[in-house]
Amino acid sequence: MSPQQQQCPIAHDQVALNGAFKANAPAQYARLRALGPVHRAEFHGGLTGWVVVGHDLAREALTHPALLKDTAPAAEQLTAAGYTLSQPGVGLVDHMLDADPPRHTRLRRLVAGAFTPRRTAQLAPRIERIAHDLLDALPPTGETDLVEAFNAPLPVTVIAELLGIPQEHREDFRTWSTHALQVASPDHRSSLVGLRGLLRDLVQAKRRAPEDDLLSALVQAHDQEDGQLSEDELVGTSMLLIVAGHETTVNLLGNATLALLQHPGQLRLLREQPDLLPGAVEEFLRHDTSVERSTNRYAAEDIELGGVTIPRGSVVTVALGSASHGASEARGEDPMVLDVTRPNARHLAFGHGIHYCLGAPLARLEATIALGTLLSRVPELELAVSPDSLAWIPSGMMRGLVSLPVRYTRSRGERP
Ligand code: HEM
């Protein structure tokens, strides 16, 4: 038996990661982990590559010196499968998540200061007000889609205010960045172009009249500190922050709320002991995270991963939620069990290595405040539909609900 067959018993009929797989991804990944830590996989558009599902191998892959963001070795098959490559004029161009060092280091450093735990903590009062305003806008009792009413507008407002995106553009940004993440969406490319166009206009506006926001600071880095940031990098960085900064959190909030509604004992516990919330957020990130898979890496040379030879030019992705579940299994725990008191819920939800999520402190803060406010202000909350009828968004990378219909009664609550 070749090493590849030993590690990947289903090598011949590779795993199709979209469609039916999405509906029950955690159980599907558990099946794959039992077979081996890395598998042949088929992505959108017939693109093929490898998916790493085991925890230790995930960490190895995310720091592997020959698994890079440079698409050149894989360009032919990516283009054939209809993927938008990072090239000026189209895609989510020129940002840190598509860059290798030293460009990655430079681009990350330019915005890192805005996302430190200390700077992020200063946003807490504003995030609390946004959460209360959204709940106040709901009728005192009734049925609503929690994604549209609460989970989406909260992170969108936070990242839009940070960047300085005027109110009138926020709905467009939300729609476009949702489609920008869904390679399979017919609106994928036009959304990227739309986002890019609007950001270019905004950059001009901030240049004429700078304000106290991140976009104005980036424009200054471009204009004043010569060579630090090109115009494409400026627009690309802003696009990345918009897309990475909200879709991820919207979906985490939905997955976490669904998990609580399906585990009433855990919901009761959190309502009774809100100080468990920060630990519970780590458990939600471990239990059912929103970034199901990492962005793609491309093999710059032939490499050996988990005993499998992966040829130069291969696409490699890491199933982050699966890797977190693998870590639980290694500790002898059942990964599917939700336990908001789990000590040290170790997970890979924010990735690993140089691309580790820049917004992790903000995501944690938003999730803690959003879920805490929801639980304290909405004493009665239940699913308004059968869990089987809930649909998952058709994105390869993301795991999140299309909608979350709930029946609720909210209190007036104490505003901060
Ligand atoms: C629950 C919410 C979030 C999750 C689960 C999450 C997850 C991730 C993951 C897994 C990566 C690495 C992807 C890879 O290596 O392929 C990443 C990168 C990144 N995230 Fe987040 N994220 C979240 C929220 C945010 C927020 C609120 C921001 C704020 C702007 C943000 C900004 C970024 C940026 C800029 C990167 C690229 C970092 C780099 O390339 O060095 N994320 N995120």
Side-chain angles (χ1 to χ4, degrees), residues 42-107:
E42 185 188 323
F43 311 105
H44 166 72
L47 184 73
T48 59
W50 298 83
V51 60
V52 176
V53 298
H55 177 263
D56 292 347
L57 202 61
R59 294 172 83 88
E60 189 182 324
L62 290 169
T63 48
H64 197 293
L67 284 179
L68 299 176
K69 305 300 300 193
D70 181 4
T71 52
E76 206 177 309
Q77 71 145 335
L78 284 170
T79 314
Y83 279 68
T84 307
L85 299 189
S86 282
Q87 49 184 302
V90 266
L92 283 172
V93 293
D94 286 337
H95 58 70
M96 69 188 94
L97 191 49
D98 270 353
D100 296 313
R103 220 162 66 84
H104 170 266
T105 322
R106 175 172 56 85
L107 292 176

Side-chain angles (χ1 to χ4, degrees), residues 96-97 104 108 244-245 248 294-295 297 320 349-350 354-355 357 359 363:
M96 69 188 94
L97 191 49
H104 170 266
R108 182 163 170 132
T248 48
S294 74
T295 53
R297 269 73 172 159
L320 299 164
F350 291 123
I354 61 165
H355 294 286
C357 178

Side-chain angles (χ1 to χ4, degrees), residues 364-385:
R364 287 181 160 120
L365 185 70
E366 287 184 41
T368 306
I369 293 175
L371 293 168
T373 312
L374 184 72
L375 297 189
S376 70
R377 291 283 314 274
V378 186
E380 285 171 41
L381 186 66
E382 60 180 20
L383 268 180
V385 295

Side-chain angles (χ1 to χ4, degrees), residues 3 47 71 109 204 217 257:
L47 184 73
T71 52
R109 198 175 286 150
Q204 295 307 330
T257 313

Side-chain angles (χ1 to χ4, degrees), residues 96 107-112 114-115 163 199 203 206-207 211 213-225 228-231 233-239 241:
M96 69 188 94
L107 292 176
R108 182 163 170 132
R109 198 175 286 150
L110 273 170
V111 284
F115 293 97
L163 278 162
L199 272 168
V203 163
K206 302 280 176 190
R207 187 165 278 141
E211 289 176 89
D213 54 45
L214 194 51
L215 203 47
S216 301
L218 287 173
V219 171
Q220 256 172 13
H222 169 269
D223 293 355
Q224 292 177 0
E225 298 166 43
Q228 279 233 39
L229 196 65
S230 73
E231 185 91 12
E233 289 170 344
L234 164 57
V235 172
T237 300
S238 315
M239 281 172 83
L241 292 174

